[in-house]
Amino acid sequence: KRDGIMTDELHLGTTAGLLTLRAVERYGDREALVHGERRLSYRELGARISQIMQALRARGLRRGMALCQLGSN
């Protein structure tokens, strides 16, 4: 275990998407994100990510292509 994360999950080939799916399965309705008054459960976060991925696929994104995410902390 490292920083509260099981290290066996952090191996080559594990993607952010797979880690998110595992979190949705494990934690479902528990809070995943909190921003001010806005709160999202893991299930809601997974649904949002799925919507974004469907939109990206509709615009031509395919497996093996690069995708960059830019955000602030």
Side-chain angles (χ1 to χ4, degrees), residues 4-66:
I5 298 172
M6 298 301 293
T7 55
D8 62 341
E9 290 187 354
L10 298 176
H11 58 81
L12 293 176
T14 297
T15 64
L18 287 175
L19 290 173
T20 302
L21 286 174
R22 288 179 187 159
V24 169
E25 291 171 355
R26 288 182 185 163
Y27 307 118
D29 293 322
R30 289 173 58 183
E31 285 183 347
L33 296 174
V34 176
H35 181 71
E37 296 297 314
R38 181 83 173 138
R39 299 174 184 279
L40 284 179
S41 70
Y42 283 93
R43 194 173 323 282
E44 291 168 320
L45 178 62
R48 291 276 179 107
I49 291 170
S50 180
Q51 290 171 341
I52 292 167
M53 290 308 301
Q54 288 175 17
L56 290 170
R57 284 188 195 109
R59 287 167 178 74
L61 184 70
R62 298 292 177 256
R63 183 180 295 269
M65 297 174 99

Side-chain angles (χ1 to χ4, degrees), residues 61-72:
L61 184 70
R62 298 292 177 256
R63 183 180 295 269
M65 297 174 99
L67 174 66
C68 177
Q69 175 188 347
L70 179 62
S72 62

